Amino acid sequence: MAPTSVLISAGGRVQRVWFRESTRQVAESLGLAGWVRNLDDGRVEALFEGPEEKVAEAVEWARHGPEHALVTEFEERTVGLTGATGFAILADDGGGWRPPEL
């Protein structure tokens, strides 16, 4: 399986429903690298990096999110590999470390 990197954003009821922690758990269970963070506009954004098949599983999960989420908007795009290692929950969009522009 070739490695790939996909950036997603999910909107709707996606904050305060354990979306980020659930995303981290799913990504780690699939052996993926990347990150997830809340955006100031109420969306959640995540980068999944790893084998195509495993990334596709994570993206499909994110389309629905955890039990109490209600995803009403979803975008995904393939981006260049970042070389990420591990999977992190980043500071919200309002401050802290920011990933490079993809």
Side-chain angles (χ1 to χ4, degrees), residues 53-96:
E53 183 178 290
K54 300 297 183 180
V55 168
E57 284 183 54
V59 169
E60 186 57 33
W61 175 87
R63 288 184 182 282
H64 308 285
E67 180 181 359
H68 298 291
L70 177 61
V71 177
T72 58
E73 302 169 39
F74 192 84
E75 296 178 18
E76 71 175 277
R77 66 182 168 111
T78 301
V79 296
L81 293 172
T82 67
T85 58
F87 199 90
I89 297 175
L90 302 182
D92 292 353
D93 191 32

Side-chain angles (χ1 to χ4, degrees), residues 2 9 18 28-29 35 38 46 49 58 65 75 81 84 95-98 102:
S9 69
W18 291 93
E28 287 182 349
S29 75
W35 48 262
N38 284 341
E49 191 163 293
E75 296 178 18
L81 293 172
W97 181 86
R98 293 181 189 257
L102 303 174

Side-chain angles (χ1 to χ4, degrees), residues 4-69:
T4 191
S5 187
V6 173
L7 182 69
I8 66 100
S9 69
R13 188 175 61 231
V14 295
Q15 292 189 11
R16 300 183 183 269
V17 293
W18 291 93
F19 203 105
R20 291 179 300 164
E21 175 60 22
S22 298
T23 300
R24 184 192 62 76
Q25 291 173 5
V26 167
E28 287 182 349
S29 75
L30 294 170
L32 299 177
W35 48 262
V36 61
R37 67 178 176 168
N38 284 341
L39 297 177
D40 288 343
D41 64 6
R43 292 177 298 138
V44 170
E45 182 177 62
L47 175 81
F48 299 115
E49 191 163 293
E52 286 181 59
E53 183 178 290
K54 300 297 183 180
V55 168
E57 284 183 54
V59 169
E60 186 57 33
W61 175 87
R63 288 184 182 282
H64 308 285
E67 180 181 359
H68 298 291

